[in-house]
Amino acid sequence: MENKLAIIPFIFAAILLAGGCGKQNTIIKAHNQLGPIESTMVDSYNSSTTADEQATAVKTALDALNRVDISKCPADYQQAWGELADLWTEWHAALLAEDIPTVDSLAKQSPVRAKTLNSIARSHGVQVIDP
């Protein structure tokens, strides 16, 4: 299967500068965990040769994403995080079904959702530096 994530810009591998109030720190803590999750997923996804292997890469990342405690983050950040998790859930299902048009569409949407999280973090005073 040739569907690789060649252009995902490691949005989550942003450098977050510590400091600020409690809500900023909760976002920083959650956001910093996202970088390694996404990076590992992209590496695994791109090295996969089948849809099943790619589905495993996405599911592993989704499971890690769902383990991150975002309960003290602001509601808008939690909502955007949930939307990313929902997208990855749909992406995983599309890969299992080998629905390539849907897989391609969802793969393109993932960085957009990541940018949304960055924007929300910024709106709460967190400095996010995109690589």
Side-chain angles (χ1 to χ4, degrees):
M1 169 159 287
E2 251 333 283
N3 184 20
K4 303 294 183 189
L5 294 176
I7 61 171
I8 286 202
F10 293 94
I11 303 280
F12 292 127
I15 299 169
L16 299 173
L17 303 174
C21 68
K23 73 178 176 182
Q24 290 170 335
N25 289 333
T26 60
I27 291 172
I28 290 167
K29 185 176 178 184
H31 216 67
N32 280 339
Q33 292 178 67
L34 232 27
I37 293 168
E38 184 190 28
S39 179
T40 300
M41 177 183 71
V42 169
D43 289 346
S44 181
Y45 190 97
N46 285 339
S47 66
S48 298
T49 58
T50 68
D52 284 340
E53 290 174 353
Q54 290 174 331
T56 298
V58 173
K59 179 69 165 116
T60 300
L62 177 61
D63 291 345
L65 187 76
N66 286 329
R67 284 192 300 271
V68 176
D69 181 9
I70 59 165
S71 64
K72 294 180 182 168
C73 291
D76 56 347
Y77 189 85
Q78 289 183 38
Q79 180 177 344
W81 187 284
E83 289 170 1
L84 180 66
D86 291 346
L87 180 124
W88 287 5
T89 299
E90 292 175 40
W91 190 5
H92 175 252
L95 282 160
L96 290 177
E98 296 188 20
D99 179 355
I100 302 310
T102 301
V103 167
D104 290 343
S105 173
L106 294 169
K108 290 176 185 171
Q109 291 176 48
S110 188
V112 174
R113 299 284 168 94
K115 286 181 183 178
T116 299
L117 276 169
N118 285 346
S119 294
I120 292 169
R122 284 185 186 105
S123 77
H124 289 284
V126 176
Q127 292 183 337
V128 179
I129 302 170
D130 295 320

